[in-house]
Amino acid sequence: MLSQNEISHQFSQQGYVILPQLFPPEKIAYLVQICERIRQHWRNQFQQRRQNKKTLSLFKYLEYFDDSPEQLEALLNLISESKITSILDFICEQQLFFNGIVYFFNPQSASWQGDWHRDGQIAAPNLEIEKSRVFSSSFIRILL
């Protein structure tokens, strides 16, 4: 595990931090199982309309947790573990807000290149406000 200073330096220089083996393989396998179960639910419901989709915002589909509330609890417990929040508190130096959980996967069909977009800051009414939002906010992704 990197020290706090190493984490901070890597984040400030590269804009990301890689922390291999932060979680044990069995925890990662369980989380992937949860996400794949939800993706299968989603595919059964929307397969024809969205074959090229490559992400799911899991909280848009909270009903998929109705039969497995313990899986929602497991996801929320993971992202709120102190080994994550303490690192985020240290490197971000600002109040953290939970935005959601997104699951990235390969699309079912590769018939198009996908869509490009920017998250979060695009609703600004003018360029200066947009610039301010870009430079004062961060989105953190935890990749399993």
Side-chain angles (χ1 to χ4, degrees):
M1 179 77 165
L2 299 174
S3 71
Q4 282 190 332
N5 287 337
E6 292 168 322
I7 290 170
S8 180
H9 179 74
Q10 183 179 353
F11 186 76
S12 67
Q13 295 296 306
Q14 299 176 356
Y16 64 89
V17 178
I18 297 174
L19 301 170
Q21 301 175 350
L22 185 62
F23 295 103
E26 59 275 3
K27 182 175 274 192
I28 293 171
Y30 181 58
L31 293 171
V32 169
Q33 176 187 345
I34 293 169
C35 293
E36 280 297 309
R37 182 188 66 78
I38 292 168
R39 183 169 77 115
Q40 188 59 48
H41 265 285
W42 174 84
R43 281 183 62 197
N44 291 341
Q45 190 173 10
F46 298 106
Q47 182 174 18
Q48 295 305 314
R49 290 189 358 219
R50 307 293 299 271
Q51 290 187 26
N52 293 305
K53 190 165 177 73
K54 58 192 172 301
T55 65
L56 284 178
S57 178
L58 298 184
F59 284 178
K60 286 174 82 175
Y61 303 99
L62 279 175
E63 70 270 13
Y64 294 161
F65 289 104
D66 287 349
D67 61 345
S68 306
E70 73 284 353
Q71 291 184 346
L72 177 58
E73 183 177 352
L75 284 170
L76 293 172
N77 284 338
L78 171 85
I79 63 173
S80 63
E81 281 191 28
S82 64
K83 67 169 111 180
I84 291 177
T85 58
S86 63
I87 292 168
L88 296 176
D89 283 337
F90 181 74
I91 62 176
C92 292
E93 298 177 348
Q94 56 184 310
Q95 186 174 4
L96 300 174
F97 294 93
F98 173 73
N99 182 266
I101 299 172
V102 178
Y103 181 47
F104 292 82
F105 52 88
N106 290 327
Q108 183 178 347
S109 173
S111 64
W112 67 306
Q113 292 297 315
D115 52 351
W116 182 91
H117 71 282
R118 296 183 298 175
D119 290 330
Q121 77 279 5
I122 62 174
N126 67 51
L127 183 59
E128 292 308 311
I129 293 174
E130 183 172 342
K131 284 181 185 178
S132 172
R133 288 180 182 174
V134 168
F135 292 109
S136 67
S137 64
S138 300
F139 287 86
I140 306 298
R141 291 199 167 119
I142 300 170
L143 305 174
L144 301 176

